[in-house]
């Protein structure tokens, strides 16, 4: 099926109007786009599910699910199969959503390694459920997002981790040089469903929406072929979970603002900035009671602390100390993980062509630089650039293998016969050879630039 034809069929499926629906919505019998309604008026009229099923909202949700990609859920359906499936089945799904009878499937449990060790459990909904969740998210976000704290940065439109880090830096410039670093233990697994639904019901009056959110929370997980119910938590992996987590933690944000604290929160990672260590311990003890009793969550004592900002990590960054104004720096463990990945990609026994290695490196470097390039320590990035080029010189030297091939290659790269012969005959290993002046002349920085190798120390 051609893309244009499929797109046309989807538009027809999404815009097919349920008999009498428009009359119920505006009383005039004419089609009305609920996408233009104010979110609060939608809640008042108890017609949020109609907004979810509105054609413009659905097309936006479909685009987002396709762009996000991701693996299949328990039914095995792939993202690229969603469009054709909706053409033949959307009418039924729509009727179930509008009638309050839609039932989501269980999520597939997968585990991924966490950057700082251990594993994180994700719940992967089916592609169909991801589509429905995304359509719901776009409507619910209009109701909630504008009321969230300005100090909340995670999973929100037009906000980023970089803004959270910059806010933390700004507090230090104001003289708040102690941080209360709070990490919530297994937050996504411990969210209390009843408290979450009560918070949601404060602004959402459409019982079909509330019923469906509850169904997603309790849909269960399939792990190792065994289905288990879910009585608490919001499984990570679905489009709706980040918004639900912000709704839960908005209560914490409101309390922090009420007390006049300077803070930055990104999901369950929250840093509160104070002027003294004594004030920090007082705030920590107070918040421990609040989080335990009111939110029914738990602080991870091993990962939480009162300390100087330069001693703590915040979203992969830390800060320089001393008398000078604080600068953003890459957290040492983040640099270690970066170096581990580069070692994997440039391992000399891989046997991959140099062009392929550079291509793989560029994919990784582009994403890494897009995030950690926000640091204010350019010399670190320049050091990493030099280290990567040295890794590649050692990789190339290993590929040349024999004395004859090495001498020929060195001559081709501009070395004199004497220098090429002497270097090719060296008994040093590839890593020691990689820092010698003759090899650096043969394979200068410009050579790697000509291969298209990205530099971390230069703007993208």
């Amino acid at each position: 099926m051609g893309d244009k034809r499929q797109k046309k069929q989807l538009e027809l499926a999404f815009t097919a109007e349920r008999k009498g629906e428009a009359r119920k919505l505006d009383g005039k019998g004419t089609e009305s786009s609920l996408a233009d309604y104010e979110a609060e008026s939608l809640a008042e009229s108890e017609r949020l599910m109609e907004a979810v099923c509105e054609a413009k909202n659905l097309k936006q949700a479909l685009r987002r699910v396709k762009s996000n990609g991701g693996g299949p859920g328990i039914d095995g359906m792939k993202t690229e199969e969603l469009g054709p499936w909706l053409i033949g089945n959307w009418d039924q799904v729509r009727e179930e959503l509008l009638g309050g009878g839609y039932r989501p499937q269980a999520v597939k449990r997968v585990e991924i390694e966490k950057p700082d060790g251990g594993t994180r459990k994700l719940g992967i909904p089916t592609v169909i459920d991801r589509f429905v969740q995304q359509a719901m998210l776009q409507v619910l976000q209009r109701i909630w997002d504008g009321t969230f704290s300005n100090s909340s940065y995670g999973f929100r439109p037009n906000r980023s981790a970089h803004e959270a880090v910059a806010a933390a830096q700004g507090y230090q410039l104001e003289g708040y040089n102690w941080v209360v670093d709070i990490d919530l233990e297994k937050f996504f697994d411990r969210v209390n469903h009843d408290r979450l639904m009560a918070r949601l019901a404060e602004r959402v009056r459409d019982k079909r929406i509330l019923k469906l959110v509850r169904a997603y929370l309790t849909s269960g997980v399939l792990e190792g072929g065994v289905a288990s119910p879910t009585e608490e938590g919001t499984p990570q992996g679905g489009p709706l979970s980040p918004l639900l987590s912000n709704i839960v933690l908005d209560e914490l944000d409101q309390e922090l603002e009420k007390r006049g604290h300077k803070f930055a929160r990104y999901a369950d990672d929250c840093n509160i900035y104070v002027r003294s260590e004594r004030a920090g311990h007082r705030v920590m003890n107070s918040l421990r009671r609040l989080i335990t009793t009111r939110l029914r969550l738990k602080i991870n004592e091993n990962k939480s602390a009162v300390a100087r900002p330069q001693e703590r990590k915040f979203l992969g960054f830390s800060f320089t100390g001393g008398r000078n104004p604080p600068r953003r720096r890459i957290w040492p463990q983040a640099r270690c993980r970066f170096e581990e990945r580069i070692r994997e990609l440039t391992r000399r026994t891989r046997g991959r062509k140099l062009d392929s290695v550079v291509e793989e490196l560029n994919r990784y470097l582009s994403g890494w630089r897009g995030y950690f390039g926000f640091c204010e320590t350019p010399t670190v990035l320049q050091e990493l650039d030099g280290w990567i080029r040295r890794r590649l010189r050692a990789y190339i030297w290993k590929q040349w293998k024999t004395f004859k091939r090495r001498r020929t290659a060195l001559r081709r790269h501009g070395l004199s016969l004497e220098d090429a012969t002497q270097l090719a005959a060296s008994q040093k290993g590839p890593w020691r050879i990689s820092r010698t002046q003759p090899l650096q002349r043969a394979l200068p920085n410009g050579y790697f630039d000509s291969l298209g190798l990205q530099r971390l120390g230069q703007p993208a």
Side-chain angles (χ1 to χ4, degrees):
M1 181 184 295
D3 290 342
K4 291 184 179 179
R5 182 183 175 190
Q6 184 183 115
K7 183 178 180 181
K8 183 65 175 178
Q9 288 180 316
L10 275 169
E11 288 179 354
L12 291 172
F14 287 161
T15 55
E17 188 178 31
R18 188 183 186 193
K19 185 177 180 181
E21 182 178 315
R23 182 170 59 254
K24 286 191 293 183
L25 293 179
D26 62 12
K28 298 179 182 179
T30 57
E31 183 174 353
S32 174
S33 173
L34 290 180
D36 297 331
Y37 275 42
E38 291 292 336
E40 290 296 337
S41 67
L42 284 170
E44 290 287 336
S45 65
E46 300 183 356
R47 288 292 183 269
L48 282 179
M49 189 61 82
E50 279 75 14
V52 169
C53 295
E54 198 269 337
K56 182 179 179 181
N57 188 59
L58 295 172
K59 286 186 280 188
Q60 181 183 347
L62 183 60
R63 287 194 299 269
R64 181 58 60 88
V65 170
K66 285 183 175 180
S67 66
N68 288 343
I74 64 173
D75 63 353
M77 182 185 292
K78 299 178 181 178
T79 306
E80 55 267 26
E81 298 172 327
L82 177 59
W85 187 91
L86 287 172
I87 291 172
N89 297 275
W90 172 244
D91 283 346
Q92 179 182 347
V93 174
R94 187 170 182 270
E95 288 294 325
E96 292 175 356
L97 288 170
L98 293 171
Y102 182 82
R103 292 291 179 271
Q105 299 185 68
V107 299
K108 181 170 70 174
R109 177 74 80 197
V110 297
E111 292 187 356
I112 61 171
E113 292 186 3
K114 297 172 68 173
D116 53 354
T119 59
R120 174 182 288 114
K121 290 186 177 182
L122 297 182
I124 307 301
T126 65
V127 178
I128 302 161
D129 282 328
R130 296 208 293 269
F131 169 67
V132 174
Q133 283 194 38
Q134 181 64 38
M136 291 175 63
L137 168 66
Q138 291 163 185
V139 172
L140 293 176
Q141 205 159 44
R142 292 201 295 268
I143 296 174
W144 285 89
D145 192 76
T147 66
F148 286 147
S149 168
N150 286 331
S151 297
S152 168
Y153 295 90
F155 309 124
R156 297 183 60 190
N158 304 316
R159 285 178 166 256
S160 68
H162 285 171
E163 290 179 305
V165 174
Q169 184 180 19
Y171 296 142
Q172 294 169 58
L173 288 170
E174 294 175 19
Y176 295 85
N177 292 317
W178 286 86
V179 61
V180 182
D181 186 358
I182 293 179
D183 183 272
L184 298 177
E185 185 173 304
K186 297 182 179 179
F187 166 71
F188 286 93
D189 297 329
R190 294 181 183 271
V191 169
N192 183 277
H193 289 175
D194 291 335
R195 285 194 57 79
L196 169 56
M197 294 307 302
R199 292 280 292 173
L200 197 61
E202 290 175 5
R203 299 180 195 172
V204 176
R205 299 183 182 181
D206 192 326
K207 294 181 179 179
R208 297 166 298 179
I209 293 286
L210 296 174
K211 181 180 178 182
L212 186 51
V213 172
R214 172 77 76 167
Y216 274 121
L217 292 174
T218 60
S219 61
V221 297
L222 186 68
E223 186 173 14
V226 178
S228 304
T230 47
E231 298 178 353
E232 63 178 1
T234 59
Q236 296 182 75
L240 201 54
S241 291
L243 175 63
L244 297 181
S245 69
N246 273 335
I247 291 174
V248 171
L249 293 175
D250 183 54
E251 190 170 357
L252 172 63
D253 296 342
Q254 290 182 12
E255 187 63 30
L256 291 173
E257 288 188 339
K258 181 180 177 181
R259 300 180 185 185
H261 288 310
K262 308 286 188 179
F263 72 98
R265 182 180 65 80
Y266 193 98
D268 57 339
D269 198 347
C270 184
N271 277 6
I272 302 106
Y273 290 85
V274 294
R275 293 187 182 275
S276 68
E277 183 178 13
R278 182 179 179 182
H281 286 293
R282 185 173 64 250
V283 170
M284 175 68 84
N285 293 332
S286 176
L287 292 179
R288 185 180 288 111
R289 291 191 296 271
L290 168 70
I291 290 169
T292 303
T293 59
R294 193 187 301 181
L295 299 183
R296 301 183 191 177
L297 297 169
K298 185 178 180 181
I299 290 180
N300 188 327
E301 300 293 349
N302 293 328
K303 294 184 178 180
S304 302
V306 176
R308 293 288 191 180
Q310 58 266 29
E311 299 170 1
R312 304 298 295 176
K313 174 191 70 170
F314 186 48
L315 303 176
F317 291 92
S318 185
F319 303 93
T320 58
R323 296 182 178 180
N324 295 322
R327 292 181 297 153
R328 300 183 295 270
R329 67 183 181 95
I330 301 168
W331 183 245
Q333 290 184 359
R335 175 172 175 169
C336 288
R337 290 194 296 271
F338 170 82
E339 292 175 350
E340 288 174 6
R341 180 58 179 155
I342 296 299
R343 287 189 182 96
E344 292 175 5
L345 294 174
T346 58
R347 192 175 65 250
R348 294 189 287 276
T349 56
R350 291 189 72 197
R352 301 287 298 276
K353 291 184 177 180
L354 182 61
D355 289 346
S356 297
V357 173
V358 170
E359 184 179 348
E360 287 182 299
L361 277 171
N362 281 341
R363 282 198 295 268
Y364 179 68
L365 292 175
S366 177
W368 195 88
R369 180 179 60 179
Y371 187 76
F372 287 103
F374 189 60
C375 74
E376 296 176 313
T377 50
T379 55
V380 172
L381 300 180
Q382 293 164 9
E383 288 173 6
L384 291 174
D385 277 331
W387 177 72
I388 292 169
R389 288 190 293 266
R390 185 180 174 188
R391 296 276 314 171
L392 288 175
R393 290 187 183 102
Y395 187 91
I396 295 169
W397 185 258
K398 180 73 173 180
Q399 282 194 325
W400 287 344
K401 292 184 179 180
T402 65
F403 167 81
K404 184 176 180 180
R405 288 181 61 185
R406 286 170 176 170
R407 185 175 64 176
T408 301
L410 290 170
R411 291 282 289 143
R412 188 171 63 248
H413 282 274
L415 290 194
S416 67
L417 178 60
E418 180 181 356
D419 286 345
T421 301
Q422 184 176 357
L423 188 60
S426 174
Q427 298 300 307
K428 295 178 180 178
W431 186 241
R432 293 183 64 189
I433 285 287
S434 66
R435 68 179 301 176
T436 60
Q437 287 297 321
L439 187 60
Q440 290 183 31
R441 291 202 311 273
L443 302 174
N445 296 350
Y447 171 72
F448 296 104
D449 291 339
S450 71
L451 295 176
L453 179 67
Q454 295 190 18
R455 291 197 187 196
L456 299 174
Q458 292 181 346

